[in-house]
PDB file of all heavy atoms in Angstrom:
ATOM      1  N   SER A 352      -7.304 -14.695 -31.407  1.00  0.00           N
ATOM      2  CA  SER A 352      -5.878 -14.734 -30.913  1.00  0.00           C
ATOM      3  C   SER A 352      -5.615 -16.186 -30.551  1.00  0.00           C
ATOM      4  O   SER A 352      -6.529 -17.032 -30.555  1.00  0.00           O
ATOM      5  CB  SER A 352      -5.746 -13.849 -29.662  1.00  0.00           C
ATOM      6  OG  SER A 352      -6.299 -14.459 -28.520  1.00  0.00           O
ATOM      7  N   PRO A 353      -4.363 -16.518 -30.240  1.00  0.00           N
ATOM      8  CA  PRO A 353      -4.087 -17.900 -29.834  1.00  0.00           C
ATOM      9  C   PRO A 353      -4.873 -18.255 -28.565  1.00  0.00           C
ATOM     10  O   PRO A 353      -5.352 -17.387 -27.864  1.00  0.00           O
ATOM     11  CB  PRO A 353      -2.588 -17.882 -29.532  1.00  0.00           C
ATOM     12  CG  PRO A 353      -2.040 -16.736 -30.373  1.00  0.00           C
ATOM     13  CD  PRO A 353      -3.119 -15.723 -30.343  1.00  0.00           C
ATOM     14  N   VAL A 354      -4.955 -19.579 -28.298  1.00  0.00           N
ATOM     15  CA  VAL A 354      -5.734 -20.022 -27.161  1.00  0.00           C
ATOM     16  C   VAL A 354      -5.011 -19.886 -25.805  1.00  0.00           C
ATOM     17  O   VAL A 354      -5.535 -20.300 -24.796  1.00  0.00           O
ATOM     18  CB  VAL A 354      -6.145 -21.519 -27.274  1.00  0.00           C
ATOM     19  CG1 VAL A 354      -7.166 -21.734 -28.331  1.00  0.00           C
ATOM     20  CG2 VAL A 354      -4.903 -22.412 -27.520  1.00  0.00           C
ATOM     21  N   THR A 355      -3.853 -19.311 -25.811  1.00  0.00           N
ATOM     22  CA  THR A 355      -3.134 -19.165 -24.553  1.00  0.00           C
ATOM     23  C   THR A 355      -3.102 -17.713 -24.048  1.00  0.00           C
ATOM     24  O   THR A 355      -3.260 -16.785 -24.790  1.00  0.00           O
ATOM     25  CB  THR A 355      -1.650 -19.615 -24.697  1.00  0.00           C
ATOM     26  OG1 THR A 355      -1.032 -18.767 -25.654  1.00  0.00           O
ATOM     27  CG2 THR A 355      -1.595 -21.056 -25.184  1.00  0.00           C
ATOM     28  N   VAL A 356      -2.876 -17.573 -22.733  1.00  0.00           N
ATOM     29  CA  VAL A 356      -2.822 -16.271 -22.097  1.00  0.00           C
ATOM     30  C   VAL A 356      -1.676 -15.452 -22.633  1.00  0.00           C
ATOM     31  O   VAL A 356      -1.809 -14.290 -23.053  1.00  0.00           O
ATOM     32  CB  VAL A 356      -2.755 -16.419 -20.561  1.00  0.00           C
ATOM     33  CG1 VAL A 356      -2.446 -15.092 -19.883  1.00  0.00           C
ATOM     34  CG2 VAL A 356      -4.046 -17.017 -20.019  1.00  0.00           C
ATOM     35  N   ALA A 357      -0.479 -16.059 -22.635  1.00  0.00           N
ATOM     36  CA  ALA A 357       0.729 -15.289 -23.016  1.00  0.00           C
ATOM     37  C   ALA A 357       0.662 -14.894 -24.495  1.00  0.00           C
ATOM     38  O   ALA A 357       1.110 -13.812 -24.852  1.00  0.00           O
ATOM     39  CB  ALA A 357       1.976 -16.125 -22.716  1.00  0.00           C
ATOM     40  N   GLY A 358       0.124 -15.763 -25.352  1.00  0.00           N
ATOM     41  CA  GLY A 358      -0.033 -15.453 -26.760  1.00  0.00           C
ATOM     42  C   GLY A 358      -1.017 -14.333 -27.010  1.00  0.00           C
ATOM     43  O   GLY A 358      -0.774 -13.404 -27.792  1.00  0.00           O
ATOM     44  N   THR A 359      -2.125 -14.415 -26.265  1.00  0.00           N
ATOM     45  CA  THR A 359      -3.137 -13.344 -26.390  1.00  0.00           C
ATOM     46  C   THR A 359      -2.598 -12.005 -25.915  1.00  0.00           C
ATOM     47  O   THR A 359      -2.876 -10.955 -26.506  1.00  0.00           O
ATOM     48  CB  THR A 359      -4.405 -13.746 -25.588  1.00  0.00           C
ATOM     49  OG1 THR A 359      -4.928 -14.960 -26.156  1.00  0.00           O
ATOM     50  CG2 THR A 359      -5.465 -12.684 -25.622  1.00  0.00           C
ATOM     51  N   CYS A 360      -1.807 -12.023 -24.863  1.00  0.00           N
ATOM     52  CA  CYS A 360      -1.263 -10.776 -24.323  1.00  0.00           C
ATOM     53  C   CYS A 360      -0.232 -10.155 -25.323  1.00  0.00           C
ATOM     54  O   CYS A 360      -0.306  -8.931 -25.542  1.00  0.00           O
ATOM     55  CB  CYS A 360      -0.502 -11.068 -22.990  1.00  0.00           C
ATOM     56  SG  CYS A 360      -1.663 -11.467 -21.652  1.00  0.00           S
ATOM     57  N   ALA A 361       0.581 -10.947 -25.908  1.00  0.00           N
ATOM     58  CA  ALA A 361       1.569 -10.399 -26.854  1.00  0.00           C
ATOM     59  C   ALA A 361       0.865  -9.747 -28.065  1.00  0.00           C
ATOM     60  O   ALA A 361       1.191  -8.691 -28.549  1.00  0.00           O
ATOM     61  CB  ALA A 361       2.583 -11.475 -27.293  1.00  0.00           C
ATOM     62  N   GLN A 362      -0.135 -10.494 -28.558  1.00  0.00           N
ATOM     63  CA  GLN A 362      -0.902  -9.976 -29.742  1.00  0.00           C
ATOM     64  C   GLN A 362      -1.640  -8.687 -29.387  1.00  0.00           C
ATOM     65  O   GLN A 362      -1.647  -7.702 -30.154  1.00  0.00           O
ATOM     66  CB  GLN A 362      -1.854 -11.054 -30.255  1.00  0.00           C
ATOM     67  CG  GLN A 362      -2.636 -10.554 -31.498  1.00  0.00           C
ATOM     68  CD  GLN A 362      -3.700 -11.544 -31.889  1.00  0.00           C
ATOM     69  OE1 GLN A 362      -3.411 -12.730 -31.950  1.00  0.00           O
ATOM     70  NE2 GLN A 362      -4.895 -11.037 -32.171  1.00  0.00           N
ATOM     71  N   THR A 363      -2.268  -8.669 -28.212  1.00  0.00           N
ATOM     72  CA  THR A 363      -2.994  -7.489 -27.771  1.00  0.00           C
ATOM     73  C   THR A 363      -2.057  -6.270 -27.667  1.00  0.00           C
ATOM     74  O   THR A 363      -2.356  -5.165 -28.096  1.00  0.00           O
ATOM     75  CB  THR A 363      -3.660  -7.728 -26.400  1.00  0.00           C
ATOM     76  OG1 THR A 363      -4.537  -8.838 -26.486  1.00  0.00           O
ATOM     77  CG2 THR A 363      -4.406  -6.501 -25.909  1.00  0.00           C
ATOM     78  N   LEU A 364      -0.874  -6.515 -27.067  1.00  0.00           N
ATOM     79  CA  LEU A 364       0.087  -5.437 -26.962  1.00  0.00           C
ATOM     80  C   LEU A 364       0.521  -4.896 -28.333  1.00  0.00           C
ATOM     81  O   LEU A 364       0.594  -3.694 -28.576  1.00  0.00           O
ATOM     82  CB  LEU A 364       1.282  -5.882 -26.154  1.00  0.00           C
ATOM     83  CG  LEU A 364       2.455  -4.879 -25.950  1.00  0.00           C
ATOM     84  CD1 LEU A 364       1.931  -3.597 -25.271  1.00  0.00           C
ATOM     85  CD2 LEU A 364       3.573  -5.497 -25.129  1.00  0.00           C
ATOM     86  N   ALA A 365       0.758  -5.825 -29.268  1.00  0.00           N
ATOM     87  CA  ALA A 365       1.177  -5.436 -30.604  1.00  0.00           C
ATOM     88  C   ALA A 365       0.087  -4.572 -31.276  1.00  0.00           C
ATOM     89  O   ALA A 365       0.373  -3.527 -31.871  1.00  0.00           O
ATOM     90  CB  ALA A 365       1.479  -6.686 -31.469  1.00  0.00           C
ATOM     91  N   GLU A 366      -1.134  -5.030 -31.216  1.00  0.00           N
ATOM     92  CA  GLU A 366      -2.233  -4.295 -31.845  1.00  0.00           C
ATOM     93  C   GLU A 366      -2.417  -2.929 -31.193  1.00  0.00           C
ATOM     94  O   GLU A 366      -2.651  -1.919 -31.895  1.00  0.00           O
ATOM     95  CB  GLU A 366      -3.527  -5.093 -31.709  1.00  0.00           C
ATOM     96  CG  GLU A 366      -3.510  -6.376 -32.576  1.00  0.00           C
ATOM     97  CD  GLU A 366      -4.695  -7.278 -32.356  1.00  0.00           C
ATOM     98  OE1 GLU A 366      -5.589  -6.937 -31.546  1.00  0.00           O
ATOM     99  OE2 GLU A 366      -4.801  -8.334 -33.023  1.00  0.00           O
ATOM    100  N   ALA A 367      -2.386  -2.895 -29.861  1.00  0.00           N
ATOM    101  CA  ALA A 367      -2.618  -1.613 -29.199  1.00  0.00           C
ATOM    102  C   ALA A 367      -1.471  -0.642 -29.472  1.00  0.00           C
ATOM    103  O   ALA A 367      -1.727   0.544 -29.683  1.00  0.00           O
ATOM    104  CB  ALA A 367      -2.755  -1.852 -27.675  1.00  0.00           C
ATOM    105  N   LEU A 368      -0.253  -1.128 -29.440  1.00  0.00           N
ATOM    106  CA  LEU A 368       0.880  -0.234 -29.744  1.00  0.00           C
ATOM    107  C   LEU A 368       0.790   0.363 -31.155  1.00  0.00           C
ATOM    108  O   LEU A 368       0.991   1.548 -31.351  1.00  0.00           O
ATOM    109  CB  LEU A 368       2.198  -1.037 -29.615  1.00  0.00           C
ATOM    110  CG  LEU A 368       2.793  -1.202 -28.222  1.00  0.00           C
ATOM    111  CD1 LEU A 368       3.955  -2.159 -28.268  1.00  0.00           C
ATOM    112  CD2 LEU A 368       3.220   0.175 -27.630  1.00  0.00           C
ATOM    113  N   ALA A 369       0.368  -0.468 -32.084  1.00  0.00           N
ATOM    114  CA  ALA A 369       0.259   0.010 -33.495  1.00  0.00           C
ATOM    115  C   ALA A 369      -0.846   1.097 -33.559  1.00  0.00           C
ATOM    116  O   ALA A 369      -0.616   2.166 -34.171  1.00  0.00           O
ATOM    117  CB  ALA A 369      -0.096  -1.161 -34.413  1.00  0.00           C
ATOM    118  N   GLY A 370      -1.964   0.854 -32.907  1.00  0.00           N
ATOM    119  CA  GLY A 370      -3.062   1.817 -32.953  1.00  0.00           C
ATOM    120  C   GLY A 370      -2.694   3.089 -32.224  1.00  0.00           C
ATOM    121  O   GLY A 370      -3.024   4.219 -32.701  1.00  0.00           O
ATOM    122  N   MET A 371      -2.058   2.988 -31.043  1.00  0.00           N
ATOM    123  CA  MET A 371      -1.697   4.204 -30.292  1.00  0.00           C
ATOM    124  C   MET A 371      -0.597   4.966 -31.018  1.00  0.00           C
ATOM    125  O   MET A 371      -0.628   6.217 -30.995  1.00  0.00           O
ATOM    126  CB  MET A 371      -1.230   3.794 -28.883  1.00  0.00           C
ATOM    127  CG  MET A 371      -2.347   3.300 -28.033  1.00  0.00           C
ATOM    128  SD  MET A 371      -1.893   3.022 -26.285  1.00  0.00           S
ATOM    129  CE  MET A 371      -0.895   1.554 -26.432  1.00  0.00           C
TER     130      MET A 371
END
Side-chain angles (χ1 to χ4, degrees):
Chain A
S352 76
V354 289
T355 63
V356 170
T359 298
C360 290
Q362 182 186 314
T363 301
L364 179 57
E366 293 174 357
L368 277 172
M371 290 188 288

